[in-house]
Amino acid sequence: MDIKEKLNNLPNLPGVYLLKDRKDEIIYIGKASRLKNRVVSYFRPDKSPSLKRQALSAATTGLDYMTTDTEVDALLLEASLIKRHRPKYNVMLKDDKSYPYLKLTSNEDFPRLFITRNRKDDKADYFGPYTDVKLLRKAIALMRRIFPLRKCRLLPSKSCLDYQIGQCLAPCIGKVSVKDYRQLVNEVVLFLKGRRKKLIDDLVDKMNYASRIKSFEEAAKLRDRIDMLSKVAGKKRRPDIAGQTEELKEILGLFELPRRIFAYDISDIQGSFACGVRVSFYGAKADKAGYRRFRIKEADTRNDYQMMKEVVKRSLKGLAEKSEPLPDLIIIDGGKGHLGVVRQELDNLGFKDIPAISIAKKLDHIFTSLKQSPLVLPPTSKALQMVQRIRDEAHRFAIFYHHSLRKKSVSQSELDQIKGVGPLRKKELINYFGSLSKVKRARLAGLVKVNKIDRQTAGNIIEYFRKGRQ
């Protein structure tokens, strides 16, 4: 892909761009809130370009980029990449005292991390310099959610609000040992030096160990930290549909690539309006034509397992009766128990060859029929991200369907009580105003504009809801 084609394909997302010369060596690294706008500007005609801009544009024959969630993340990534690659066209900021640094007071038992412009010859560690102090302040706030180091200069005699909101480990009251705190400091150093892959790998190992010893609360905390770190680490945006399905095939030990995937979810509130849904994905893309909605008809609406069993049964039997394609993989929103019930029903229906997995909501562990213990995948796993995305879409669709059932029921039950409002007028009212709440607030002049609503019926509607407010 030549540079013109790459420029056309750049996303307008925050991130870091790397300009390269003919030898494929990085000659400049920069950050941007919108990659496309920033990078394309290097190659647009400029009436009075700087000497640096002229030289850089002439020398650039290739580029690469990494997207981030925010420009704050891009700032941190930019600094670590500049330090690692030392591109010749980047300004040598280290000699300029006007730029800010991050200072880590490593000489203290419980080190602090803060912004400074005064780099001293002391035993502290300095990181940077950084190009934007406003973004750096936001970066500090982000890092404190990931690495809860203390902020106070002197240790107080009691814990503060930072401890209560999870942004400090409270060494002041002995909530953390020097050894454990030092481990957190080491993680900060890895992060700021750009060694985030090693940091994430180490945390994944810890998460897996915590899960094995059934310390699920600790595993959940580690998972959340890994997730935040993964978002900051920078991601090359490339089409990778095949990569996700290939990894899923390998992890689950499937014989075929799972191209057609169904996911199921249940939604109800204490048994009311119990329903289920099926979403369909093909080639890792949503196939809206394959979405289906199911009202629970047979199962006990107090039993999630039975409701899930009914929805899967009706879904697949309908496909078989119409000779429509069956899925290569089924994903159940639930735990090991949900999977067991569905697996048994699949076998009973003669669908033993269809693999099925479930994904638990709390820790995003994946259960299969082949292993007693769940699969614990890191948040960076393409396969896990794909399963999460499909599971979340099923959950969204189920909630939407449940909400529409409740809304329809409320609309019907109240409007049915009004004299002169039958099914046709009820439909016209909801179509015109959009919701029951707007019908309730409507005045006579508005109501008579609705098709088939005369002044007498409009008066009945106003009187009915007026009494309801008294």
Side-chain angles (χ1 to χ4, degrees), residues 43 132 163 167 198 222 257 307 324 360 364 384 418:
F43 304 93
D132 191 323
Y163 172 66
Q167 292 191 16
K198 173 174 172 48
L222 288 165
L257 203 64
M307 288 192 289
E324 293 182 4
D364 284 347
L384 176 61
I418 302 173

Side-chain angles (χ1 to χ4, degrees), residues 245-399:
T245 51
E246 283 285 358
E247 184 178 313
L248 192 60
K249 174 179 177 289
E250 182 179 345
I251 287 171
L252 299 179
L254 304 178
F255 294 109
E256 301 289 340
L257 203 64
R259 299 186 184 280
R260 187 180 302 280
I261 300 176
F262 285 174
Y264 296 89
D265 194 14
I266 299 296
S267 185
D268 75 302
I269 299 177
Q270 296 178 343
S272 300
F273 309 106
C275 61
V277 298
R278 178 188 87 202
V279 297
S280 174
F281 278 68
Y282 189 80
K285 291 184 178 180
D287 170 28
K288 296 293 181 72
Y291 283 29
R292 292 293 183 272
R293 301 180 294 184
F294 303 88
R295 287 295 302 268
I296 301 301
K297 297 179 178 179
E298 304 167 2
D300 183 347
T301 55
R302 296 167 297 180
N303 189 319
D304 272 4
Y305 293 167
Q306 293 303 313
M307 288 192 289
M308 184 66 79
K309 177 180 174 180
E310 177 185 331
V311 169
V312 172
K313 176 182 177 180
R314 288 167 55 191
S315 165
L316 296 182
K317 283 188 71 175
L319 290 174
E321 288 168 0
K322 297 176 183 178
S323 299
E324 293 182 4
L326 294 170
D328 302 312
L329 176 67
I330 287 174
I331 298 174
I332 302 300
D333 186 0
K336 189 175 181 180
H338 292 85
L339 178 63
V341 169
V342 169
R343 182 71 268 168
Q344 184 178 23
E345 186 62 22
L346 289 174
D347 294 348
N348 292 340
L349 292 169
F351 300 129
K352 294 183 179 181
D353 293 335
I354 300 179
I357 63 173
S358 66
I359 177 168
K361 285 187 176 72
K362 188 173 182 181
L363 292 175
D364 284 347
H365 289 175
I366 293 178
F367 293 89
T368 73
S369 303
L370 303 177
K371 296 182 179 180
Q372 284 292 108
S373 56
L375 293 173
V376 182
L377 303 177
T380 51
S381 163
K382 296 173 185 175
L384 176 61
Q385 291 168 4
M386 181 180 178
V387 172
Q388 288 171 327
R389 182 163 57 90
I390 296 173
R391 183 272 315 274
D392 292 345
E393 173 63 3
H395 187 60
R396 181 203 65 78
F397 190 49
I399 290 176

Side-chain angles (χ1 to χ4, degrees), residues 130-298:
Y130 297 92
T131 56
D132 191 323
V133 70
K134 290 182 179 179
L135 285 179
L136 190 57
R137 291 193 185 103
K138 293 181 180 179
I140 279 278
L142 168 71
M143 291 177 64
R144 281 174 177 150
R145 294 199 298 271
I146 305 174
F147 309 104
L149 300 181
R150 71 183 180 98
K151 289 189 289 186
C152 50
R153 285 193 171 190
L154 300 174
L155 289 177
S157 58
K158 60 180 181 180
S159 64
C160 62
L161 179 61
D162 287 335
Y163 172 66
Q164 303 298 327
I165 62 175
Q167 292 191 16
C168 180
L169 296 179
C172 55
I173 56 172
K175 289 291 184 179
V176 61
S177 67
V178 173
K179 179 182 177 182
D180 289 342
Y181 194 94
R182 180 59 59 176
Q183 179 60 44
L184 185 65
V185 171
N186 292 339
E187 292 174 7
V188 172
V189 172
L190 286 175
F191 177 80
L192 289 173
K193 285 186 175 180
R195 300 181 63 190
R196 295 168 197 179
K197 184 179 185 305
K198 173 174 172 48
L199 174 56
I200 290 173
D201 289 344
D202 290 346
L203 291 176
V204 168
D205 289 341
K206 291 180 181 179
M207 180 185 71
N208 290 339
Y209 175 73
S211 180
R212 283 198 301 272
I213 63 173
K214 300 190 184 305
S215 181
F216 295 120
E217 185 175 350
E218 178 64 18
K221 289 179 181 178
L222 288 165
R223 178 205 62 194
D224 292 342
R225 289 179 65 199
I226 293 166
D227 190 41
M228 286 189 283
L229 282 168
S230 300
K231 290 178 180 178
V232 178
K235 307 162 287 272
K236 290 189 179 181
R237 291 289 178 99
R238 298 286 188 272
D240 196 22
I241 289 163
Q244 291 180 322
T245 51
E246 283 285 358
E247 184 178 313
L248 192 60
K249 174 179 177 289
E250 182 179 345
I251 287 171
L252 299 179
L254 304 178
F255 294 109
E256 301 289 340
L257 203 64
R259 299 186 184 280
R260 187 180 302 280
I261 300 176
F262 285 174
Y264 296 89
D265 194 14
I266 299 296
S267 185
D268 75 302
I269 299 177
Q270 296 178 343
S272 300
F273 309 106
C275 61
V277 298
R278 178 188 87 202
V279 297
S280 174
F281 278 68
Y282 189 80
K285 291 184 178 180
D287 170 28
K288 296 293 181 72
Y291 283 29
R292 292 293 183 272
R293 301 180 294 184
F294 303 88
R295 287 295 302 268
I296 301 301
K297 297 179 178 179
E298 304 167 2

